[in-house]
Amino acid sequence: QVEFSYPPLMPGEGHDSHSLPEEWKYLPFLALPDGAHNYQEDTVFFHLPPRCGDRTTVYGVSCYRQIEAKALKVRQADITRETVQKSVCVLSQLPLYGLLQAKLQLITHAYFEEKDFSQISILKELYEHMNSSLGGTLLEGSQVYLGLSPRDLVLHFRHKVLILFKLILLEKKVLFYISPVNRLVGALMTVLSLFPGMIEHGLTDCSQYRPRKSISEDAGLQETTPRLDDYVSVSADDVSNTNLGMGKGGRKMAGEHPLEGQKAHVPFPQSEKPCNGAQPSNGAVQRLKVPFRASPESSESDWETLDPSVLEESNPKGEGENKARDPAASRPQERARSEGLPITVQPQANAGHAVLVPGLVSGLEEDPFGMPLAVFTKGYLCLPYMALQQHHLLSDVSVRGFVAGATNILFRQQKHLSDAIVEIEDAHVQIHDPELRKILNPTTADLRFADYLVKHVTENRDDVFLDGTGWEGGDEWIRAQFTAYLHALLAAVLQPDNEKTLSDFGTAFVAAWKNTHNYRVWNSNKHPALAEVNSSHPFQGQYSVSDVKLRLSHSVQNSERGKKIGNVMVSTSRNVVQTGKAVGQSVGGAFTSAKSAMSSWFSTFTQSTQNPGD
């Protein structure tokens, strides 16, 4: 439970109130994650739904630590167990995950070093410091990517990074799995950072869900709910949700005596009218100002699936600005006569590519290319960490898909609730549907692109001067490659007679992508900036012997039959070093097995490579 919040989370209640808004009932379980007792410290990124229907995602960063109760200088009456768990948590309207984490880790360390949890002045100082030093302008710099390393991602997942990228483009149900949480959220958010503008401006509508008990509530309740407005918060909670005790031999077991878990949470209002009615103790505190963005509509929108045929036709010039600022004005009114052509014109700024304007349809702040794509809108959720208490969201009818992270094995075991499970530890992407696997099978040009990334990253991995900060092979360079890839794909779909060009991206993939919500939203606008982009795959070209090697390597590493060949080879090598008469028999049997497996696999491989565009 929440032990302390600054300013108070609930209007009319004190800083030490345990009460939570209904929309944020999962906050304690997110900020102090499942299995936290297994680690001395951890960091969590999570998303909360807005407390007001017309506001945006609340971004949470939590730093967790545990300490033995006997080490405390002041042991309060409520500390009755041997171990105390606390998290210090910041809630923000700005997606500055790594920057908030860096500041929060220092404060959490200092808070624990006090060894007296009643000393909350340091949390109030953190609140005032963050509101005075952080602002919306940081979203336009590289600090928004602090702690997110595509270089490490490519080193770990290698060619599979492109499969993850395409999975999300198709808006599939993707579950990331690993423990501890900091590795989970780091990998998941790094994948999202490959999409241009996604972290900065693409997640404002990514957590539009309702807690289970509130689904049946009257719609009028939203009108009485205090407004969050531009709200950033730090908080301190007391979370005793682990129900773990010390068993024989010192092992922590479920049951008996729960370990004490506590958290710190401090709110940061950014506007003059905080939605929760909380008044900061210091009226002179500077407020963070969030850049203007049109408010996304709720997930119950009329165009949940957004068929292009029901999008509104473009307004006469002069109405575009009003329409962008009033989401209600952009609802579909009549059927468009043509599905093939964009039916609204995205206003273009005069000051170049750096200027963002509110998307007429997406409600997101977009650049002249239409980035970020409206992936995480209209019921497609992004939940970097999911608590077990949120499990029902995976099968909620109002949730059309998700990119979510979990550390609890129960999520991984229920494979029917997701399209793909990404096991980060083994860099394994498990796709359940054979048809989806076929759609995501990389083309020859895709394999060249992925190999280009891997080579540039691995060749520089020992360069102490590079360390992920250089250009070629560095983090920014990798993001630039994915931006160029996505721009080329978007430019290619706009060209007439583009079947050959699109085959380099994957004919089946492009066909599936054109049925997604994000493509329909993007295609509903015109984006003249794409006229300057080369409308072909960055790695198009004639098939060569090196492509055969690439395909062979990829197939052996990723197909089940390829893994069997590897196992047979291992078995063969073991038998070779044996002695005695059994050697000849076992080696002969192993080679026969390898030969049959190889011939069967190679026949399948040659069939799949006859048409390199498939």
Side-chain angles (χ1 to χ4, degrees):
Q1 63 185 12
V2 174
E3 180 185 51
F4 169 85
S5 61
Y6 184 82
L9 288 177
M10 296 292 287
E13 301 206 15
H15 297 300
D16 57 352
S17 171
H18 298 327
S19 300
L20 280 172
E22 178 64 21
E23 299 91 338
W24 294 353
K25 61 183 291 185
Y26 302 126
L27 171 60
F29 309 105
L30 293 168
L32 200 155
D34 188 31
H37 63 282
N38 292 318
Y39 304 95
Q40 284 299 115
E41 56 185 302
D42 204 355
T43 302
V44 190
F45 302 158
F46 59 90
H47 294 156
L48 291 175
R51 287 180 55 190
C52 313
D54 63 344
R55 301 309 299 166
T56 61
T57 298
V58 176
Y59 307 97
V61 178
S62 175
C63 285
Y64 154 82
R65 288 176 72 97
Q66 63 176 327
I67 187 173
E68 291 186 357
K70 63 183 181 182
L72 295 175
K73 295 178 181 177
V74 178
R75 182 163 178 165
Q76 295 165 301
D78 59 344
I79 300 178
T80 59
R81 304 174 185 92
E82 294 181 359
T83 307
V84 180
Q85 296 174 313
K86 282 184 181 288
S87 288
V88 180
C89 170
V90 175
L91 301 183
S92 171
Q93 282 289 348
L94 301 175
L96 300 171
Y97 305 96
L99 194 58
L100 293 174
Q101 175 188 352
K103 293 177 179 292
L104 201 52
Q105 283 178 331
L106 293 173
I107 294 300
T108 305
H109 178 77
Y111 184 50
F112 270 71
E113 285 300 306
E114 292 281 342
K115 295 184 172 58
D116 178 5
F117 293 129
S118 65
Q119 300 298 317
I120 56 176
S121 60
I122 190 172
L123 301 178
K124 295 180 179 180
E125 291 171 6
L126 173 64
Y127 162 80
E128 295 174 359
H129 166 71
M130 285 192 170
N131 274 281
S132 62
S133 63
L134 303 181
T137 55
L138 290 174
L139 292 180
E140 308 307 324
S142 60
Q143 292 190 72
V144 73
Y145 297 123
L146 186 66
L148 306 179
S149 174
R151 192 165 175 268
D152 291 341
L153 189 76
V154 172
L155 282 172
H156 188 60
F157 280 95
R158 300 179 71 82
H159 297 73
K160 298 173 189 173
V161 170
L162 188 56
I163 295 177
L164 296 177
F165 187 80
K166 285 188 165 185
L167 259 176
I168 296 174
L169 270 181
L170 293 181
E171 297 176 352
K172 295 301 179 181
K173 298 179 178 179
V174 186
L175 181 71
F176 286 72
Y177 177 83
I178 198 175
S179 192
V181 184
N182 68 81
R183 293 185 63 189
L184 172 75
V185 297
L188 188 152
M189 297 310 297
T190 301
V191 173
L192 297 189
S193 75
L194 300 177
F195 292 83
M198 187 65 76
I199 298 289
E200 301 96 311
H201 306 292
L203 301 177
T204 57
D205 197 24
C206 75
S207 60
Q208 294 278 0
Y209 66 84
R210 292 187 181 184
R212 173 171 284 177
K213 288 184 180 180
S214 63
I215 291 178
S216 60
E217 289 181 355
D218 185 80
L221 182 62
Q222 289 188 1
E223 299 177 6
T224 61
T225 302
R227 292 182 56 81
L228 177 63
D229 277 341
D230 298 328
Y231 178 78
V232 179
S233 89
V234 184
S235 93
D237 318 340
D238 174 3
V239 178
S240 49
N241 64 322
T242 48
N243 288 329
L244 296 164
M246 299 302 294
K248 292 182 179 178
R251 291 185 58 189
K252 295 175 181 175
M253 302 170 60
E256 294 192 350
H257 308 292
L259 287 173
E260 178 160 351
Q262 301 186 341
K263 284 201 290 207
H265 175 90
V266 186
F268 290 20
Q270 293 179 332
S271 73
E272 296 300 327
K273 294 195 309 178
C275 158
N276 64 353
Q279 297 297 327
S281 57
N282 183 356
V285 173
Q286 287 183 280
R287 270 71 172 182
L288 286 173
K289 297 298 181 184
V290 182
F292 168 79
R293 56 171 65 90
S295 304
E297 294 175 305
S298 69
S299 59
E300 291 81 19
S301 167
D302 293 337
W303 20 297
E304 181 74 30
T305 55
L306 196 64
D307 191 321
S309 65
V310 299
L311 288 172
E312 182 185 17
E313 292 194 22
S314 58
N315 282 349
K317 189 174 181 181
E319 294 181 22
E321 185 175 350
N322 292 333
K323 181 179 177 184
R325 292 178 178 269
D326 182 7
S330 62
R331 292 195 179 114
Q333 304 294 334
E334 56 184 272
R335 289 186 173 270
R337 295 179 181 176
S338 170
E339 294 187 18
L341 297 174
I343 44 188
T344 58
V345 179
Q346 179 67 33
Q348 298 298 321
N350 297 324
H353 294 176
V355 176
L356 304 175
V357 292
L360 298 181
V361 177
S362 68
L364 306 175
E365 290 191 4
E366 297 178 359
D367 68 12
F369 298 95
M371 304 291 103
L373 292 174
V375 175
F376 296 102
T377 58
K378 303 299 179 287
Y380 191 75
L381 304 182
C382 174
L383 303 172
Y385 172 70
M386 282 189 76
L388 191 58
Q389 289 77 5
Q390 294 176 299
H391 184 271
H392 66 280
L393 292 176
L394 300 187
S395 54
D396 193 317
V397 293
S398 67
V399 174
R400 63 185 179 89
F402 54 81
V403 176
T407 58
N408 194 303
I409 197 171
L410 293 176
F411 285 95
R412 187 180 66 171
Q413 290 174 339
Q414 296 188 314
K415 297 180 180 179
H416 64 285
L417 296 177
S418 61
D419 296 313
I421 296 178
V422 183
E423 298 196 31
I424 299 173
E425 183 70 43
D426 303 323
H428 179 55
V429 183
Q430 183 179 359
I431 301 173
H432 314 315
D433 180 17
E435 187 63 29
L436 181 57
R437 283 201 298 270
K438 184 177 179 182
I439 289 173
L440 291 170
N441 189 37
T443 65
T444 299
D446 278 350
L447 284 176
R448 291 171 185 160
F449 172 68
D451 189 60
Y452 177 72
L453 296 177
V454 172
K455 281 184 176 178
H456 276 74
V457 170
T458 53
E459 286 174 0
N460 295 314
R461 64 184 305 175
D462 297 325
D463 188 344
V464 295
F465 297 104
L466 180 64
D467 193 28
T469 60
W471 174 241
E472 195 161 311
D475 292 337
E476 293 299 322
W477 179 86
I478 294 171
R479 291 192 188 98
Q481 304 311 307
F482 275 94
T483 297
Y485 180 93
L486 188 54
H487 284 177
L489 171 61
L490 294 169
V493 299
L494 296 177
Q495 301 301 314
D497 302 323
N498 56 5
E499 290 79 7
K500 178 65 176 72
T501 303
L502 293 180
S503 67
D504 285 330
F505 294 97
T507 303
F509 164 75
V510 173
W513 177 53
K514 284 186 174 182
N515 287 324
T516 63
H517 176 81
N518 73 79
Y519 173 80
R520 287 169 172 170
V521 170
W522 176 84
N523 194 47
S524 68
N525 290 344
K526 289 182 180 178
H527 306 285
L530 283 170
E532 303 172 7
V533 176
N534 186 358
S535 59
S536 59
H537 196 293
F539 287 83
Q540 66 168 353
Q542 295 296 319
Y543 206 60
S544 65
V545 174
S546 60
D547 294 321
V548 176
K549 294 179 181 178
L550 267 178
R551 176 73 59 183
L552 185 66
S553 173
H554 176 78
S555 300
V556 169
Q557 291 175 16
N558 295 284
S559 69
E560 290 300 319
R561 189 173 283 117
K563 291 175 183 176
K564 289 179 182 178
I565 293 174
N567 293 334
V568 168
M569 295 305 180
V570 172
S571 173
T572 302
S573 64
R574 284 201 198 101
N575 289 323
V576 166
V577 298
Q578 291 178 0
T579 56
K581 294 182 179 180
V583 173
Q585 299 173 356
S586 59
V587 170
F591 273 119
T592 302
S593 175
K595 182 179 178 182
S596 61
M598 178 64 82
S599 61
S600 172
W601 173 80
F602 194 73
S603 63
T604 306
F605 163 73
T606 52
Q607 292 174 7
S608 67
T609 55
Q610 285 176 355
N611 186 356
D614 291 341

